[in-house]
Amino acid sequence: MIMQNFYYPSLQRDSTDSVPYILGLTASPVLNAKAGGLDIIEQNLNAISKTPKTNRQEMMQFVHPPVFKTLLYHSCNVDDSSLNANRTIGSLVKAYQDMDITQDPYVLTLASSTNANDQRKLKKALLGRKTYCQDQMKRFCSQSRTILDQLGPFACNYYIRTCISQFLKTKDPNLDGWIQLTNDEKKYLSRVLHQVEIGEGSLDLSICGPLLSPKAELLIDLLVDESVPQFAGLVFVEQRATVAVLSHIISIHPRTRHLLECGTFVGTSMNVKRTANNIGDLLELRHQKETLDDLRSGRKNLIITTNVLEEGIDVSACHIVISFDKPANLKSFIQRRGRARKEQSKFVLMLPHHDVSTSIEEWSGLEAEMIRTYQDDMRRVEAMQQREAIDEDAARSFFVESTGALLTMKNVVAHLYHFCATLPASPYVSLQPEFIFEEDLANELISARIVLPIAVDASVREAAGLSWWKTEKNAKKDAAFQAYLALYQAGLINDHLLPLLRYSDGEVEANTAVEKRPALMDVAEQWNPWVGVARQWQTSAELFTTAITIKTEDDVPLRILVLLPCRPPELAIITLHWNQDAHYYASAEPPEKVLVENLSASLISESTYMLLSSIFRSRMKDERHDFAALFTPTVESRALEEWQAAMDGTRPATDLSPAITNFSNVGLVRDQTRNGIAHILRSVTTIKPTEFRDFSSSQGVENPHEVYLEVIRMPKRADFLHPIPKGARSRLSHSSTVVLAASTCEIDNLPMPFARLALFIPSIMHRYETIMVAEELSRTILEHVDFQDLNLVLTAITASSAREGTNYERLELLGDCILKLCTSVQLVAEYPNWHEGYLSAKKDHTVANSRLARAALETGLDRYILTKPFTGQKWRPLYNSDLLEPGTGSTRQISSKTLADVVEALIGAAFIDGGLAKALSCLTIFLPEIEWQPLETRLCSLYDIIPLSVPLPPHFVTLENLIGYHFTKPVLLIEAMTHPSFTGATNSVSSSYQRLEFLGDAVLDNLVVSGVFSQAKREYSQVEMYWLRAALVNADFLAFLAMEWGIEEERCDVVEDRKERGSFTEIKGTVRLPFWSFMRHSSVPIAKKQKECAERYNAVGPEIKGDLLKGEKYPWVKLSRLQPDKFFSDIVESLLGAVYLDSKGYNGAIESVAERIGILPYLRRILEQEVQLVHPKGILGQMVGNEKLEYVLGVEDKDEGDGGNEGEKWFTCVIRVGGREILKAGRGTSKDEVRTRAAEMAVSILKEEKEMMGNEEMEIDQKARL
């Protein structure tokens, strides 16, 4: 097809340079038994086949053509009399013929459906006896006949008995590989197979007489005669069943079981004609993995195989190759013979006596003709140039000029099926297009129309062929062509004539795997705002002063001025943690502008130097005064010089009088015996302490007039932004006191409050630095967002690794919901005819962490992300001259997830700062590929194209009463409650609930998360918010609400009076209609699933309701017992999406419906009563820490008293921690339920173990004390 549609047209249109030359290598370029087939291959490939002659003599030295031999056997034809003579196969055929197709589970399912398509399938099944069970039995009978004919009655009996026994042992079709077989079909086939007379006892082959066919006997004779040391052979047969049975016969036959080690090898591929399992399959493919290795090593010396070993698999050279069945064609003949490559090897062909084409000359003649054709170098080369142009197909075609893609009547059906396969998959829904044929009996012509699955937009869901045709095949192609052309014109197929979002030039392939990025990425070093400050010092003619007040509840406030050459951002109150008990609070007043000439910069620099050198003298560079930020006391400029003179230097500590009681203004005490280490004075006394050692008296002469100072050491900490952790060694920095002799000390003239202020300067400057980073980000990248609250920006760019007082995690969760909602609304509105699959793929790529991380890099956001913690230990004063030196261009590493999280956090911060409008401004910056419009605009445009004329079904009036909302566009409610399986009248539905569920999922997420931000009495952590959201949006919880939420409806039944015939009575009553019962569908399995889930709800629902109303813990385990199908939760989300769209995004309408459903009441209860929400698996993961946690699932048979259907199983779960088995939970109704329950049980066990260990440690400690 490729050659016909593209290669030859290009060759005709252009020249030989426009197409590639073709080189192919093969051992036998033939397709069938006709050597002339080579010409067909040459014509199609525009090539000539040749055999190489160079080094042919040398090659022939290593080629050992086998001896060709034929064995003729008398075939035994299987007729009705032979079938009746063999009770086993006779009863099998009778069981098949007596099958009641009306009791076939597939037929029963179709018969119970009112779907028109199902009724057509039913008619076809009944007329053609075409069901899965019928096909299984028909194939089984056919294979049994073949075994009887090929191998004889013993083999046939063995085959039938073994197959039936194997099938009846199957307990769960899905677990045992029977992918297409349901439990009902398994029971039906079991009843049929029980009618087969398979006999009892073992089959005995010790007497070989008539038990084997003449053909099988001849093979046994041949193998015994040819068996020699180092024997290796292959036996080719046609059918897989023959492989298994023949292998078994050879392995137990008295003449061969001690001579031959037999293995089997068949193909493992699956196709539409071969399901994962058949009744007649005996081979277990897992046993053949080592077969070829065993042959090479000598562990096996005979392989029974199908044509799979003819080519393509490396097989050791064999002594003998036996073709048990006649080769299908010349190619098979040559390839089988080629397997016999050892010297003096044999190739044996077994043929029946009556076959007129059995002569050696026929096969040899065909081969000789082929060889002559290969080696004919004089064949006319001009045949390549004289090929006639391929005639254009009379059928229609469509060519896309921009890509060269071609749609023809030959390839359109495959294209259409491929498109349908990419639609969103859903259980109980067929994605196959439905073809409906119409016959013109008078003219014997057929036309077709096509109905695509409901996921396809209604405008292109149906199409009809343009012409009438003689064959159904061409009519089908015609309808498919029109349908696919309509899909292309509607924009649902791209210019490559493939489903959208697979090949988009210059764009990410949105239907493939989401863009991937490395875990860690090299990004720019954090932007340093002090470099800009240093530049401003060189050019600015004005300064800005900010008065900062530092105080505690007890001390007198101290004010100090900070001077900068640029207007600093306003600081929030800074908490400075002096120790675990004492805290200082720094508050900044709005900055004021002053002219440089009105200040003495040198005096202020000197003040800064005095303050910093009182604490950080060892960290300062010489006598440099070009500080990036200046600090000075709040004194008049003319008095500053006097203040500096008074505060400079030290004085002897002996000047201190014991009469002093207020030490708040006394400077630091410096111990001169220990290099001037600074201490804080607490008291002065003349009484010598009993344990005092006077280091100043080198001669041991005691000074009777010595004054003693009780002091505490100045804290070594320089980081006061972070509280001291509980249990730290230096819990209270001022609680450990020492006594120094005054004669060995000096006192700073700078009072202690200023020294403490100097100690706080690194923390204050760090806080200035972070807020200036946030300000710069707002001024540059986020300029158009116009943030009013810089602290929101600061929080959004602060990673948890920075160990600041806040981080982005909560805002990231909010931003994630806002991003998801905005993206969903934009896509639903921009692409009104896209199905949910396209929408989800596009959304996934838009909101993926990889895309957001790329957005952070593309915009330069990475420079502003705060990741490094402030410790203070490495802090050094900042000098302008150092800051102005050229940078090194260094980089740092940040995880791609952190980059993405910061983008989402900024979106959340923008939403808090100014609602959805600012959030959209933020999105425009980071994701410019989307045309972000106000949600109101998008919703209105989508609302306007929704039809008004679709009336509500009568019973949906009751549904509206339940919802408490009147739809202005009733079609939205209809779609919200329409399952994709629904196949009602076309005019009654435009689509299923999938698009609305896509939108409603985002609406629900946003409703919950924004509700937490607006209603919570305290600030929930990111982890708490994660579990809170999970508790309210998980599928089990929503399904429970769909079953719990309902309405009572009055019903009136008319019944006949038992006593008086013909007299009727009205009986009035009410019936409860749960929300889920309004879902429209056309699937019998769905009705069954609804009924089963309703029964589980009746059993466990009251307990769940009680836990939700009053329980202290979220009922994860009980909810998992519901095992609801996804459609229960889908319709809750689709309803929210419908209300959101119908109300054009009005929050009041959404909240009202969510209130009636039960979502918001439980949200309020969680926030008010602090319900424990963490999933048992989450709790268990926290408890085990870094130990390996394993959930090992299994199955076990149900006991007779457990109820349920035959063959049903319980799920089990073993939990291991660090390799130690904690428990085994059984009787699980589903994998999720048993895992959740096992985790809850394991948590209880580990808690008990921890308590026991704690008690034992307490007892040991008490005994040790005694």
Side-chain angles (χ1 to χ4, degrees):
M1 186 177 293
I2 293 175
M3 298 296 290
Q4 293 175 358
N5 291 339
F6 297 97
Y7 185 92
Y8 282 109
S10 296
L11 186 63
Q12 286 182 327
R13 187 171 56 250
D14 303 315
S15 64
T16 56
D17 294 334
S18 65
V19 295
Y21 292 98
I22 298 173
L23 172 64
L25 299 175
T26 179
S28 53
V30 292
L31 301 176
N32 47 45
K34 296 180 180 180
L38 180 62
D39 293 333
I40 299 175
I41 295 176
E42 289 180 330
Q43 182 179 1
N44 186 43
L45 295 182
N46 192 30
I48 287 183
S49 298
K50 293 185 178 181
T51 298
K53 295 182 178 180
T54 307
N55 300 321
R56 182 178 296 177
Q57 290 297 116
E58 182 180 354
M59 287 190 294
M60 291 300 293
Q61 297 175 13
F62 302 96
V63 176
H64 307 289
V67 176
F68 184 25
K69 179 181 179 181
T70 58
L71 283 182
L72 304 181
Y73 60 88
H74 292 281
S75 59
C76 48
N77 294 324
V78 178
D79 53 19
D80 292 340
S81 60
S82 60
L83 290 179
N84 294 329
N86 187 304
R87 288 194 310 166
T88 302
I89 191 171
S91 62
L92 173 64
V93 173
K94 186 175 186 305
Y96 166 59
Q97 294 172 343
D98 291 346
M99 288 176 68
D100 185 358
I101 194 171
T102 62
Q103 297 304 310
D104 191 300
Y106 177 69
V107 171
L108 292 175
T109 300
L110 295 177
S112 63
S113 173
T114 58
N115 186 329
N117 185 36
D118 286 345
Q119 292 302 309
R120 285 192 293 271
K121 292 179 180 178
L122 175 62
K123 182 179 179 181
K124 185 176 181 180
L126 291 174
L127 291 176
R129 297 186 66 84
K130 196 73 174 172
T131 70
Y132 182 75
C133 294
Q134 289 280 334
D135 289 346
Q136 284 287 317
M137 288 298 297
K138 182 179 180 180
R139 187 181 296 114
F140 188 26
C141 289
S142 175
Q143 289 172 331
S144 300
R145 286 170 179 260
T146 301
I147 296 296
L148 179 63
D149 178 38
Q150 294 277 327
L151 303 177
F154 169 84
C156 181
N157 290 351
Y158 163 78
Y159 173 69
I160 295 173
R161 175 189 291 192
T162 307
C163 288
I164 292 176
S165 175
Q166 178 178 276
F167 178 80
L168 294 179
K169 289 179 181 178
T170 303
K171 294 188 176 181
D172 188 336
N174 293 322
L175 294 176
D176 294 335
W178 294 79
I179 297 175
Q180 297 183 4
L181 187 67
T182 66
N183 270 318
D184 289 339
E185 287 173 326
K186 195 261 180 179
K187 295 175 187 176
Y188 176 67
L189 285 174
S190 297
R191 290 194 296 270
V192 173
L193 293 174
H194 273 302
Q195 302 172 30
V196 180
E197 300 180 26
I198 60 176
E200 298 181 356
S202 60
L203 296 174
D204 187 6
L205 196 57
S206 59
I207 302 175
C208 301
L211 293 180
L212 293 180
S213 68
K215 184 177 183 181
E217 289 287 3
L218 191 61
L219 176 64
I220 296 294
D221 292 340
L222 176 64
L223 292 174
V224 172
D225 293 341
E226 297 293 337
S227 178
V228 295
Q230 305 300 318
F231 173 87
L234 292 176
V235 178
F236 284 97
V237 302
E238 183 177 347
Q239 294 194 8
R240 293 159 62 98
T242 309
V243 171
V245 180
L246 184 56
S247 173
H248 175 71
I249 290 174
I250 294 173
S251 65
I252 67 171
H253 197 285
R255 298 176 62 199
T256 55
R257 63 188 177 192
H258 300 300
L259 289 176
L260 303 173
E261 293 293 333
C262 191
T264 61
F265 197 92
V266 298
T268 58
S269 63
M270 295 295 168
N271 55 49
V272 294
K273 295 183 180 178
R274 184 189 302 160
T275 58
N277 240 332
N278 287 307
I279 296 177
D281 280 346
L282 283 184
L283 291 172
E284 295 195 33
L285 300 184
R286 64 177 183 271
H287 294 159
Q288 73 175 30
K289 293 180 180 178
E290 309 298 329
T291 297
L292 297 182
D293 288 336
D294 289 344
L295 179 66
R296 298 183 188 105
S297 64
R299 289 190 295 271
K300 285 184 171 56
N301 54 15
L302 182 67
I303 303 297
I304 314 297
T305 181
T306 57
N307 59 3
V308 69
L309 283 187
E310 288 179 352
E311 60 177 333
I313 299 177
D314 182 23
V315 180
S316 300
C318 299
H319 294 93
I320 187 168
V321 174
I322 304 170
S323 186
F324 190 71
D325 295 310
K326 179 181 176 180
N329 48 46
L330 177 60
K331 177 181 178 181
S332 292
F333 172 80
I334 294 172
Q335 289 175 335
R336 290 183 182 185
R337 191 188 63 179
R339 291 302 189 187
R341 297 194 298 271
K342 284 195 173 182
E343 203 167 354
Q344 297 182 350
S345 59
K346 295 181 180 179
F347 175 54
V348 180
L349 185 62
M350 300 185 69
L351 297 169
H353 271 287
H354 63 271
D355 193 336
V356 297
S357 61
T358 59
S359 65
I360 299 175
E361 289 76 13
E362 180 184 1
W363 291 102
S364 299
L366 288 171
E367 182 184 13
E369 181 183 350
M370 184 188 71
I371 292 174
R372 285 195 301 272
T373 306
Y374 291 166
Q375 297 177 351
D376 183 9
D377 294 334
M378 301 304 296
R379 284 182 300 131
R380 293 174 297 172
V381 177
E382 57 267 22
M384 293 176 55
Q385 302 168 351
Q386 295 178 357
R387 298 186 189 279
E388 295 182 357
I390 298 177
D391 292 335
E392 291 186 0
D393 196 337
R396 285 178 285 277
S397 65
F398 177 74
F399 182 74
V400 181
E401 189 71 33
S402 61
T403 62
L406 178 66
L407 185 70
T408 68
M409 294 279 277
K410 291 183 178 180
N411 65 20
V412 68
V413 174
H415 272 297
L416 189 62
Y417 273 88
H418 174 60
F419 169 80
C420 291
T422 65
L423 296 173
S426 179
Y428 321 111
V429 178
S430 172
L431 296 182
Q432 301 293 319
E434 180 186 358
F435 290 91
I436 302 170
F437 298 96
E438 181 182 353
E439 294 187 50
D440 181 354
L441 298 178
N443 297 308
E444 297 184 349
L445 296 175
I446 300 174
S447 69
R449 64 185 181 91
I450 185 173
V451 179
L452 299 179
I454 196 172
V456 180
D457 189 70
S459 62
V460 290
R461 192 178 302 146
E462 294 191 20
L466 297 181
S467 306
W468 290 82
W469 303 84
K470 294 182 178 180
T471 64
E472 187 177 287
K473 179 175 66 175
N474 281 336
K476 180 179 180 180
K477 291 179 180 180
D478 187 8
F481 190 90
Q482 300 307 316
Y484 209 75
L485 191 61
L487 291 173
Y488 175 77
Q489 293 168 344
L492 298 175
I493 300 295
N494 63 20
D495 285 342
H496 296 275
L497 296 179
L498 292 170
L500 288 184
L501 309 176
R502 287 192 177 274
Y503 300 94
S504 301
D505 295 337
E507 296 182 2
V508 177
E509 296 181 3
N511 230 15
T512 60
V514 174
E515 178 184 2
K516 294 182 178 180
R517 293 229 163 222
L520 288 176
M521 305 179 70
D522 290 325
V523 301
E525 195 59 69
Q526 182 180 311
W527 181 75
N528 187 353
W530 298 111
V531 175
V533 172
R535 294 194 184 100
Q536 290 279 12
W537 277 114
Q538 294 182 323
T539 59
S540 179
E542 54 189 21
L543 296 176
F544 292 86
T545 63
T546 302
I548 295 180
T549 302
I550 300 176
K551 63 180 180 178
T552 64
E553 295 179 356
D554 302 325
D555 291 353
V556 176
L558 176 68
R559 284 168 56 85
I560 193 169
L561 293 179
V562 181
L563 278 78
L564 291 170
C566 52
R567 180 181 292 277
E570 294 187 9
L571 280 181
I573 294 178
I574 307 172
T575 301
L576 301 165
H577 305 275
W578 182 251
N579 53 49
Q580 285 188 348
D581 292 341
H583 309 282
Y584 289 82
Y585 303 93
S587 57
E589 298 176 6
E592 296 182 0
K593 182 169 62 175
V594 295
L595 297 177
V596 173
E597 61 259 21
N598 296 337
L599 292 174
S600 174
S602 59
L603 282 177
I604 297 175
S605 297
E606 183 63 31
S607 297
T608 306
Y609 181 84
M610 287 179 61
L611 291 170
L612 293 177
S613 61
S614 67
I615 300 296
F616 303 108
R617 183 68 187 88
S618 62
R619 304 185 187 184
M620 301 176 70
K621 296 182 178 180
D622 302 327
E623 298 294 325
R624 292 172 59 181
H625 287 62
D626 60 329
F627 301 105
L630 301 181
F631 296 83
T632 185
T634 54
V635 298
E636 296 291 337
S637 298
R638 57 180 178 272
L640 184 57
E641 191 171 357
E642 298 175 4
W643 180 86
Q644 292 175 356
M647 300 296 109
D648 193 19
T650 62
R651 66 182 187 276
T654 53
D655 293 348
L656 293 173
S657 169
I660 299 177
T661 58
N662 184 5
F663 305 100
S664 60
N665 287 321
V666 177
L668 293 175
V669 177
R670 298 190 181 272
D671 185 358
Q672 298 303 314
T673 65
R674 301 184 67 185
N675 299 321
I677 293 178
H679 297 78
I680 302 171
L681 183 62
R682 282 292 174 258
S683 66
V684 181
T685 181
T686 57
I687 302 174
K688 178 182 178 182
T690 55
E691 298 181 358
F692 174 72
R693 181 180 178 186
D694 188 357
F695 291 97
S696 64
S697 179
S698 60
Q699 304 298 323
V701 179
E702 185 174 344
N703 181 1
H705 304 293
E706 185 65 79
V707 175
Y708 301 96
L709 309 178
E710 185 180 340
V711 297
I712 64 170
R713 186 164 178 178
M714 192 71 170
K716 292 182 179 181
R717 296 170 58 230
D719 171 19
F720 296 93
L721 294 175
H722 301 103
I724 299 174
K726 293 183 179 180
R729 294 180 59 187
S730 56
R731 181 177 178 275
L732 296 176
S733 301
H734 61 276
S735 62
S736 179
T737 61
V738 295
V739 178
L740 302 175
S743 60
T744 64
C745 301
E746 292 184 350
I747 304 294
D748 284 355
N749 290 327
L750 186 70
M752 177 57 200
F754 286 102
R756 183 183 291 111
L757 169 66
L759 200 59
F760 290 155
I761 283 177
S763 298
I764 294 173
M765 288 190 66
H766 175 74
R767 189 52 55 86
Y768 262 120
E769 178 179 328
T770 58
I771 196 68
M772 284 194 289
V773 171
E775 182 187 48
E776 178 69 9
L777 174 60
S778 300
R779 189 182 62 81
T780 54
I781 297 175
L782 302 178
E783 178 184 6
H784 296 296
V785 181
D786 191 25
F787 271 99
Q788 300 300 306
D789 187 352
L790 280 182
N791 288 303
L792 283 171
V793 179
L794 178 59
T795 299
I797 62 175
T798 304
S800 58
S801 61
R803 295 182 57 238
E804 296 291 337
T806 184
N807 60 59
Y808 63 63
E809 291 177 346
R810 295 181 73 253
L811 287 177
E812 179 268 327
L813 193 65
L814 175 63
D816 175 71
C817 294
I818 298 299
L819 171 61
K820 184 178 175 182
L821 176 66
C822 292
T823 304
S824 298
V825 172
Q826 303 292 328
L827 295 180
V828 169
E830 186 172 353
Y831 305 106
N833 65 350
W834 275 19
H835 58 71
E836 182 267 338
Y838 282 172
L839 295 172
S840 293
K842 184 72 172 177
K843 185 199 72 175
D844 289 346
H845 276 266
T846 302
V847 306
N849 281 347
S850 53
R851 175 63 188 98
L852 299 179
R854 181 159 56 91
L857 296 178
E858 291 171 348
T859 57
L861 175 64
D862 53 307
R863 302 176 61 212
Y864 301 99
I865 299 176
L866 308 178
T867 57
K868 294 181 180 179
F870 172 72
T871 63
Q873 293 296 328
K874 296 183 179 180
W875 184 86
R876 299 292 184 272
L878 298 177
Y879 299 100
N880 292 329
S881 55
D882 295 340
L883 292 167
L884 294 175
E885 290 181 359
T888 60
S890 60
T891 61
R892 56 178 171 157
Q893 284 195 323
I894 296 181
S895 72
S896 54
K897 185 178 186 309
T898 296
L899 294 170
D901 287 349
V902 171
V903 173
E904 290 180 324
L906 286 169
I907 296 169
F911 176 76
I912 294 176
D913 195 66
L916 282 172
K918 285 196 174 182
L920 286 171
S921 297
C922 201
L923 287 168
T924 303
I925 294 169
F926 293 112
L927 299 170
E929 65 269 23
I930 302 292
E931 186 183 348
W932 302 100
Q933 295 182 14
L935 297 194
E936 297 82 1
T937 303
R938 287 292 196 186
L939 291 171
C940 286
S941 65
L942 193 56
Y943 179 89
D944 290 342
I945 63 175
I946 298 172
L948 271 172
S949 57
V950 179
L952 278 179
H955 65 290
F956 269 35
V957 176
T958 304
L959 176 59
E960 271 198 330
N961 293 333
L962 171 63
I963 298 170
Y965 176 83
H966 177 68
F967 282 83
T968 58
K969 296 289 182 81
V971 68
L972 289 172
L973 179 58
I974 297 174
E975 286 188 13
M977 302 305 295
T978 301
H979 188 270
S981 67
F982 183 72
T983 55
T986 305
N987 60 359
S988 68
V989 63
S990 61
S991 184
S992 71
Y993 62 56
Q994 289 175 317
R995 278 174 54 92
L996 290 174
E997 183 265 333
F998 168 82
L999 178 62
D1001 176 64
V1003 171
L1004 177 58
D1005 261 11
N1006 180 65
L1007 178 72
V1008 171
V1009 174
S1010 59
V1012 176
F1013 270 84
S1014 62
Q1015 299 178 35
K1017 298 178 181 178
R1018 64 176 178 85
E1019 190 173 281
Y1020 279 71
S1021 69
Q1022 187 263 353
V1023 173
E1024 289 176 314
M1025 292 185 64
Y1026 167 82
W1027 286 114
L1028 192 151
R1029 178 171 70 169
L1032 289 167
V1033 305
N1034 74 81
D1036 289 348
F1037 175 72
L1038 296 179
F1040 169 78
L1041 295 181
M1043 289 179 268
E1044 178 69 20
W1045 185 36
I1047 188 171
E1048 297 288 336
E1049 184 179 62
E1050 292 186 357
R1051 289 286 175 89
C1052 181
D1053 294 329
V1054 179
V1055 297
E1056 186 177 13
D1057 194 321
R1058 293 181 179 179
K1059 296 181 180 180
E1060 186 179 350
R1061 295 184 59 82
S1063 176
F1064 296 90
T1065 305
E1066 289 186 356
I1067 300 179
K1068 295 183 178 180
T1070 60
V1071 61
R1072 183 178 181 277
L1073 300 176
F1075 173 67
W1076 63 262
S1077 65
F1078 291 93
M1079 186 184 80
R1080 307 196 309 168
H1081 65 87
S1082 301
S1083 170
V1084 173
I1086 286 182
K1088 182 179 179 182
K1089 290 292 184 180
Q1090 287 176 327
K1091 180 181 178 182
E1092 292 172 352
C1093 192
E1095 291 172 352
R1096 292 191 291 270
Y1097 163 77
N1098 292 334
V1100 75
E1103 296 182 38
I1104 296 174
K1105 183 177 181 180
D1107 286 346
L1108 293 177
L1109 290 176
K1110 298 180 180 179
E1112 296 179 356
K1113 295 193 302 183
Y1114 187 83
W1116 289 106
V1117 175
K1118 294 174 184 175
L1119 282 170
S1120 67
R1121 292 177 190 162
L1122 286 176
Q1123 303 174 55
D1125 277 72
K1126 187 174 179 291
F1127 56 74
F1128 283 100
S1129 58
D1130 284 348
I1131 56 175
V1132 175
E1133 292 178 330
S1134 64
L1135 174 64
L1136 291 174
V1139 174
Y1140 183 80
L1141 185 52
D1142 191 74
S1143 66
K1144 302 177 185 177
Y1146 175 52
N1147 283 336
I1150 301 297
E1151 292 172 358
S1152 174
V1153 174
E1155 183 77 24
R1156 296 175 72 97
I1157 294 174
I1159 298 171
L1160 292 185
Y1162 191 57
L1163 171 61
R1164 285 195 298 273
R1165 180 170 182 265
I1166 290 174
L1167 298 178
E1168 292 171 1
Q1169 301 182 21
E1170 298 288 340
V1171 178
Q1172 201 284 102
L1173 299 173
V1174 183
H1175 194 282
K1177 291 172 65 177
I1179 299 174
L1180 183 58
Q1182 294 171 2
M1183 293 183 70
V1184 303
N1186 294 326
E1187 290 190 85
K1188 184 178 180 181
L1189 176 61
E1190 297 175 273
Y1191 293 85
V1192 183
L1193 292 174
V1195 292
E1196 60 185 14
D1197 294 330
K1198 285 189 175 182
D1199 297 331
E1200 292 182 3
D1202 291 332
N1205 296 322
E1206 179 185 352
E1208 289 186 351
K1209 295 177 179 290
W1210 292 119
F1211 288 96
T1212 64
C1213 180
V1214 174
I1215 291 187
R1216 297 194 186 104
V1217 175
R1220 176 172 71 98
E1221 183 172 319
I1222 303 299
L1223 62 89
K1224 178 180 179 179
R1227 301 176 67 83
T1229 54
S1230 69
K1231 294 178 181 179
D1232 180 61
E1233 186 269 335
V1234 76
R1235 265 194 298 252
T1236 305
R1237 180 159 47 86
E1240 188 174 64
M1241 295 165 63
V1243 168
S1244 299
I1245 291 174
L1246 293 181
K1247 283 183 178 179
E1248 291 177 3
E1249 290 181 354
K1250 187 175 181 181
E1251 291 175 359
M1252 291 177 62
M1253 291 178 62
N1255 293 334
E1256 290 175 359
E1257 290 175 358
M1258 289 179 61
E1259 291 178 5
I1260 294 172
D1261 186 51
Q1262 290 173 357
K1263 291 179 180 180
R1265 291 180 181 180
L1266 292 174

